[in-house]
Every structure is written in structure tokens, then in C-alpha cells.
Amino acid sequence: MLANISPGGIAKATDPPPPALTAAHLRCEYLENPLAVDVDHPRLSWELQAIDPTSRGLGQADYQIVVKPCTDAGKPSAKELWDSGWVHSSRTNQIEYAGPVLPPGQCVVWQVRVRDNAGGTSAWSKPASWSTGLRTAEPWSGARWIGDPTPPPKDGFEPLPAPMLRRDFSFPKDKRIERAIAYASALGVYELRINGHRIGDHELAPEWTDYTKRVQYQAYDVTDTLRAGDNCIGAILGDGWYAGKIGLTGIVPKGPPRAIYGRQPRLLACLKVFFTDGTGATVVTDGSWRATLEGPIRTADIMDGETYDARREMPGWDEPGFDASAWKPALIAEPPKASLIAQPDEPIRVNREIKPIAITEPHPGVYVVDMGQNMVGWCRIRLVGSTGRPITLRHAEVLNPDGTIYTANLRGAHQTDRCTPASEAEFVFEPRFTYHGFRYVEITGVRVKPALDAIVGRVANSSAPEVGAFECSEPMLNRLWQNILWTQRGNLMGVPTDCPQRDERCGWMGDILAFAPTACFNMDMAAFLTKWVPDTRDAQAADGRFADFSPQPYDPNVRFSGVPAWGDAGVFVPWTAYRFYGDTRILAGQYPAAVRWIEYILAHNPDHLWTHSRGNDYGDWLNADTLKLAGWPATGAEVPKRVFATMFFYRSTQIVADMARILGHDEDARRYAAQADAIREAFNKAYVSPEGVIEGDTQAGYALALQFGLLPEKLQPIAVDRMLARFKPYDGQISTGFHSTLPLMEQLSGRDHNDDAYRLLLNRRMPSWGYEIDHGATTVWERWDGYVEGRGQGGFQDPGMNSFAHYAIGAVGEWMYSTMLGIRPGAPGFETIIIHPHPGPGVRWAQGSYRSIRGPITCRWEQDPREFRLSVHIPPNTTARIVLPAKTAAGVHLDNAPIGNSKDVTHVEPHADGLSLQVGSGAYTFVVRQSQEPE
């Protein structure tokens, strides 16, 4: 590397070396420039980028962070709040701000610079910011919870019209606004408006939490929306998860059909304004607001849809000067007992739009729009109707054989929007407070056939950044990866739901336990899990049982709690967050709850076999062993539930022991490690024969036991053989469920049967991912046999449980990243990286990338009979262990030379799958000759 050139053009020996790295992508608590952070000492992170992209082996030796307060205009002042000084460390994430605790509403700007391992010092990064939230009641300046004063009917739970609220206010005309922040929340969902403009792009805010324990609020920069003189602030409220239907409403015995948390939505808002002269103003929700139920949104329900009447529009209602004399004074409501917290993750947003591919007319006047993709969100339509005649939009995932929409699998969720035109002219409609899972939209009530460009699909989901990519030579696998990603998008709605269409949409714990690593490869889930993992604690029963789904509004002390592999998500999922992001704070927050879960199981099962107190005991859900199909073994049986439960008891106890060790609870670490050993011993004694047969003798049972490390080493080869033997009764087909499918794939690849894993992945017979795709799937089905060609009922499974967008068996996405591509963390947070691709038959090449918390990792491999070629890019400040299918180092070339000649490759050593090398950051292409003679 050249030294700096002095002004005279000659390098001086004393000149410092030029910088090799720069810091970018600065984030606070995983978010870019957040406006409300409710953490006294938030964590800061950045990525390192090489100035010369051809450089290798770059690392950070030191860092320095400076934090300054903002002026009211949001710009940094000269004063420093905290200067870390030079810190000798390679850390680039989870670095706590160590300055003074900031007051509520404080904006700060921060920058970082680094020294690289060659001694160069970077320039200061571009500035980033964060603002503290309003953590206590006092900073809300007396804001009250308000709503419409009309009392609901004393009996019945019919949905009510959406309340509209407003207030006029003024600033002196000689005042110039420097900065203004609006804070808002609702019991229900809300849309905030100022001076005729919608504020923010959040959808369905403040999103679902247990409203008896935590209610989220949001912050918005509204500087450009306000003006000197007269202004107006307003809001529209919807029932949302608070007052509307939520998952399983009406199914719970003696439960109301809706309004589980409360009957009427409420609003809380505080607008803080700073003027250039140093003064300020505050506008809050209080008794001065006006309210009405006479607006155009007549009903709005998450499950059922929205009813809109354009004849009731009130032009200008959210602008100053509107005549609201007919409106009523707003009701001041009792505040909830829950804590008010700033939303810690990315909001639900419309993240993309899609256009339909076809419109058919299966019956006169009935138009069916095909969006071409099973999606989640809603439609914006531009149609021509008749004055006063409703236009109806019904949403469905699939079609009946006659081309009409299939809605039986929606159960009690109507997924129907209705809009009534105010005139004969063309008009535009888009719902505000609902969402649907659908590919097809049935439109009725229009005067003329809709044009194809008159409908737009608005795709909404929690906007966790998408960080993964995958592509290979086999088009079906590319479609599978897209299906997995689309299914994940559709089920991130503030909580990780099981399905987005029927009357459920709950944060089912078993589903996310299986899918969490795939989710983290596809999207940056750090902030999302920071929000949702506390939901699991809010839903935990008093005796330590984790709920079956979180949030859990039906009293986990009574029902829906304590189930193996569902409750265990309270342990597995935060552990996944630690693996991917190195987040020890999420472990520390969850550790007491995880301990209570293990102690609950131990208290009811002192013999270390989980035979008692298993709640609803779902087992390896929708295991293919239990399929009822022609030619399928009638004797097929899933993993015995007591065996399944004890497996998860063991693995959760192991994880809790590891949590304790990482958090410095040494005595707990020893205790739970000993408990795990006792569970393992009891499992083998009770459920494993001396010949190595696990009770039930199923593919799934062997895969899980091997995956969790339950078997003694001498029995592991026998278990592999038994696992392979269990393919025979099923004619070589897979017979696993939610929790065993990924372990089966990983154990096949990891135990010298990679070809069998590829055979299953590429299979197109039912049950398989390929069968779904060949039958039109654009998302992952809930069950292997969701549709079977030639079966009765139009080919569909029992409509009582048949979602076509369920991500659990899409957990194979983790195998596609970590085994097929070979990208996986070598240490928490990808401080070290493993690149160990497993090429297989039927795929000539595969490539992909993952933007880790330390930067992007890319991998591409190609194979032919002559050579295997692997190209990788390793981000700065990390090292990677690369495993190549080579017999000797002599057969491996880098930069057109044997790797033994490269200073960039270290620690070359034999590996069970070939050769292991260690490299630093940078781009590398390795070539392995497939035919090698031993040295």
C-alpha cells in the first residue's frame, strides 16, 4: 500500500498510511435515524467498507464515536455530549452510548471514525441521528386519551363507524418553525393528518401488542407540514386488533366475537413545535378536540374488511376553518394501565405495488382479477359505479375449478371491502384499516368491466430490510425461494403470524421457532425481534408457561399455553437473534422468562421425560406421516408426542445453559448443563432401543434426535440408516412436519447423503415443494397436501385449516442459504463466517448474498465434470473459514496460482468434506480440479 504523498509529491516516511476503510450504514438500536428511542443507553452500529474493493484482510483496530446535541433544526451543535475517545476494539455493533442519560425528546447527532489494521485513520462518517422518546407521562404535556363520546350499544358487538377527530390551533404569524415532532398512539389503529395531509407512511399503527401491558407510540417529523398562523390536526381511528376481530375470536369458549381488549378506539397525541427564536408550543389531545362518527368509513375490521361510503366524505375536515359545529366534544377516556413505549422496530408500510396479469368474467357482472402473486395488503381501484350502489371486492388465495374465487378456507374472515360511489363518475378507493391475504379479487357492482390498469395491489408488511438473495440454475428453486420470501412478507404484520388470510393471523410460536433462521437470512429481523420477543414475555403464564401464540389475549393461565416446540420459541427465537446479531441484550431480557419455562417443565416432569403438562400438544404439526392419500402408508404415524416433547425439552435446556454462560451466570450454566445431560440420558434410556431404534421409528424422529445431538456417538450412524430406511414405505418421499423438515435436510447433507437432500428439494411429486409450485403456488402452503389433483372438494384439503401462505415448511430456506450456498455464522453476529457450500446433483450453479450486521457476504459456486469454482466476498473486519471439495491443497488455485503461494490464505487443513482454509476480508475465487491425483 502506498504512503501518503506530501505536497511536494514525494512520500515521507513519517506520513501516516492512507485510510483503507470507511464507516457507513450507521444505525441506532438497529434503526436509521430513529425519532423515538426509549432506551437510556442505546446501542450503535456501523458497517465497514473498503476504500479499495480489491483489498484483502482489512480490519478495524480502533474506533472513536462522538455524539452532539442537535439544534432545534436537527443540526449538530458545537457542544459534545459524549466522546468515546479512541477505543482499541474491532467491535462495530452493540456498542452502548455511554454519555449522560438524555432528556425526553432530545435529538442528537453522532459520527464514527476508525483506524484500520494497517494504521490508517478514516474520515469521520456521514452524520446519523437519534432522538429520545417520551418515556414518562410528564413529557406528554398533559395529553389525554380521547375518542368519540357516543356510547356503544349495551348488547351486541357489531362494528361501529370509524371515529374522526380534529382540532384547530394557531401560531403567531411572525413565528418561524424550526422543527416539529408529532407523537401519537391509539387503542385501535390510527391515521394522523395535519393541514389536509396524511402524516407518515405507517400502516395499522400502533400495531398489535397486549394492550393491557404495552401500547406502542410513533414519532413523526412534521416540520414541513405546519405553518405560521392557522393549522389543523386530525385523526381517523379504526378498530384494529384492539376493538375488532382478532385471531380465533369467537372460537374461544364463551368469548365475544370481537373487542377482546376494548369496545371503542381511542387516540393519544402530542405535537411539539420549536421556533427559530428559541420558544416553542405544544398541542395535545384533550377536551378541546371535536369528534364524529358520521364519516365515510362505516366499518373497518382487520379480518372482515372495510366499508366506505363516498357520499359521507367531508372535504376539508382536516384543514383549518372547517365547520365542525355539528361534531361533538371529544370524550376524555381513562388511560390504559399498560406502559407506553416507542415502537422499536420498522413499521408496517406499503413496500411495493404489483399489477394484475388478467381479468376474467366467470359469471355476468362478476369480474375476477388475478394479481399473479399471492400477496398481503389490499387494492387501490379506479372504477366506475352507480351512485349509491356498493361496489364489492372479495379477496381469495385460489380459484374454484369454475374460475370463481375459493373462500371456504377463510373460515370467519370475510376479507371483503365495500365502497359506495357518490356519483356516476370514475372514482378511486383504497381501504385504510384492514389487510387481506389474496391473489384473486372478485369485483361486483361496477357498470363496466374494469380495465387491467385500474387495479393496483398494495403490498404491506413490517418493513424489515430485505438482506438476502438467492439464485441458481434450476428455475423451480428460484421460484421456491421467492415463494418463501413472499410468505415471510405476508406474515410479518407487527407480529410473526401463521397466516394472513383466515380468521387466525396469530403470532404462533411453533411456526416462528422453525422459521426464525430463514427469516433472518431473508430480512434484517433484529429490530422486529426486539419488539416481538417481549410480546412472548407479556404472554407468559404466571407459572412459567410460554403461550402458544404471542400476543395472547385469551389468558395463558387458562388456555393456549405450555406446548412443546411452541413454548420453546421463547428460548429458541432469542437465541437465533443472538446467533445472527450478537445481541446479548435480547438474551438478558429474555433469560428470566426462559428459566421460568424450563423450571415449569422440570416441576411437572422430575424424571426428565416430558410426559406431563403439555397443553394442546400439537407435536410435529402437519407431519406428512399422517397424510390420508391413495397409496400413502395407512400405518404412517408422526413422532410420538412424548418423544417429540422431550427432544425440545433437552434442546431448550441446553440453550438456557448457554445463555447463562454468556451472561455470566456461571452457577446457572453448570446447573442447566447438568439438567440437559440428565434429559439426554433419560431420553436414550426410555425411547431408544439398544439397536438404535427411536420410539415411533420415523424420519422426523431420527432427524430431530440427530439435529439436537441427543444420541450417543455409536448410535448416530444407525439412526442415519434408520432415517434413510423410513423413505422406503413412502416411495422415497419426505414425511416430515413443521419442526422436522429442516433437520431432515440438514442431517442428510451433513451425514454424507447430500444427494438425497437435493433429490427431496428438486422432487415434484406430492408431497414436495415442487408439487406446490407445479400447481400454481406463489407462496408456501400450510400443509403438503393443501391441494391434490384429482381429489374431491375441488382438490382442496379440509377448509377448516388450509392456508396457502404459511411459512413453516418454508424453513428449508435456511438450508438453501446455510447448506446449499454454505453461508452461516462462525461466531455470533458473523464476526467469523463459515462458507461451506454443498453442491449437489441437478444444480450446475448457485449464488446468493446475505447482508450481515457486519456487512454483505456473497457466494457463488459452479460445478462441471472438470472443476468446481467458488467465488466469495467477505466483509471487512471479519474472517472466514472456507471448506472446499478438494483432496489436497495442490488441487486448489487462487489468483491463478496454488493456494500455498498466497499470503491471503492461512490455516489450510484437512476437513471431513475436503479442505478447510481461513481467509480475511475481500474477494476470492477458488478453482478446484475435480479429478485430482493424490500427492
Side-chain angles (χ1 to χ4, degrees), residues 156 207 226 239 248 250 277 321 338 342 393 395 505 525 560 564 613 641 778 804 903:
E207 305 184 16
L226 295 170
D239 287 349
L248 306 178
D277 63 3
L393 285 74
H395 303 76
R505 312 188 195 184
M525 297 285 287
F560 292 125
S613 302
K641 290 179 178 175
T778 60
F804 291 93
K903 62 181 177 58

Side-chain angles (χ1 to χ4, degrees), residues 459-476:
V459 181
N461 56 273
S462 293
S463 48
E466 295 184 7
V467 294
F470 174 90
E471 187 180 10
C472 72
S473 59
E474 171 49 56
M476 188 270 280

Side-chain angles (χ1 to χ4, degrees), residues 445-655:
V446 294
R447 288 193 285 120
V448 296
K449 180 179 179 179
L452 201 61
D453 64 357
I455 299 99
V456 175
R458 304 267 282 163
V459 181
N461 56 273
S462 293
S463 48
E466 295 184 7
V467 294
F470 174 90
E471 187 180 10
C472 72
S473 59
E474 171 49 56
M476 188 270 280
L477 298 186
N478 298 332
R479 182 68 253 184
L480 173 58
W481 182 76
Q482 285 290 338
N483 286 8
I484 294 168
L485 180 58
W486 273 101
T487 310
Q488 179 174 344
R489 287 174 184 147
N491 283 292
L492 294 190
M493 300 297 283
V495 302
T497 62
D498 58 327
C499 59
Q501 75 297 95
R502 68 180 180 229
D503 58 348
E504 202 156 344
R505 312 188 195 184
C506 293
W508 280 97
M509 302 267 277
D511 301 53
I512 192 61
L513 180 148
F515 191 73
T518 302
C520 291
F521 273 122
N522 281 337
M523 297 182 181
D524 185 343
M525 297 285 287
F528 184 94
L529 295 178
T530 298
K531 182 271 176 187
W532 183 74
V533 168
D535 286 338
T536 71
R537 299 198 291 271
D538 288 349
Q540 192 171 22
D543 59 6
R545 283 171 291 161
F546 279 119
D548 300 1
F549 43 85
S550 301
Q552 210 279 46
Y554 305 115
D555 191 353
N557 296 300
V558 176
R559 57 176 69 86
F560 292 125
S561 59
V563 177
W566 271 254
D568 291 296
V571 178
F572 276 61
V573 175
W575 184 250
T576 296
Y578 171 68
R579 285 181 55 227
F580 274 80
Y581 311 115
D583 190 335
T584 55
R585 189 178 285 181
I586 203 168
L587 292 187
Q590 191 75 352
Y591 180 73
V595 165
R596 291 178 59 220
W597 170 243
I598 297 301
E599 291 297 331
Y600 164 80
I601 304 169
L602 281 169
H604 292 273
N605 301 277
D607 62 353
H608 297 101
L609 299 173
W610 196 353
T611 55
H612 304 290
S613 302
R614 300 200 301 260
N616 288 333
D617 209 14
Y618 307 116
D620 189 22
W621 191 244
L622 298 183
N623 190 296
D625 282 331
T626 59
L627 296 179
K628 294 182 173 67
L629 299 170
W632 204 252
T635 58
E638 62 183 315
V639 187
K641 290 179 178 175
R642 61 180 185 169
V643 177
F644 178 85
T646 304
M647 290 174 173
F648 277 87
F649 182 20
Y650 170 73
R651 182 62 186 133
S652 279
T653 306
Q654 260 193 335
I655 293 173

Side-chain angles (χ1 to χ4, degrees), residues 282-345:
T282 303
V283 178
V284 299
T285 44
D286 57 19
S288 66
W289 287 56
R290 309 285 290 181
T292 185
L293 294 179
E294 299 302 318
I297 302 177
R298 306 314 297 158
T299 65
D301 188 89
I302 295 287
M303 301 279 181
D304 287 347
E306 188 162 305
T307 301
Y308 168 86
D309 190 340
R311 297 170 297 178
R312 289 177 171 269
E313 276 289 357
M314 301 179 186
W317 75 271
D318 54 357
E319 297 184 70
F322 175 79
D323 182 5
S325 58
W327 294 28
K328 299 175 182 178
L331 171 75
I332 296 178
E334 285 295 316
K337 296 179 181 179
S339 300
L340 195 61
I341 63 163
Q343 179 173 345
D345 64 328

Side-chain angles (χ1 to χ4, degrees), residues 251 394-402 404-416 437 442 499 501-504 782-783 786 792-804:
I251 294 177
R394 297 199 302 153
H395 303 76
E397 294 183 290
V398 290
L399 296 179
N400 290 306
D402 65 357
T404 59
I405 61 171
Y406 176 77
T407 59
N409 70 326
L410 302 180
R411 300 191 315 208
H414 296 159
Q415 288 209 140
T416 300
E442 177 197 84
C499 59
Q501 75 297 95
R502 68 180 180 229
D503 58 348
E504 202 156 344
E782 177 177 18
R783 49 202 312 159
Q793 303 179 41
F796 300 121
Q797 244 286 5
D798 179 357
M801 190 178 66
N802 195 22
S803 159
F804 291 93

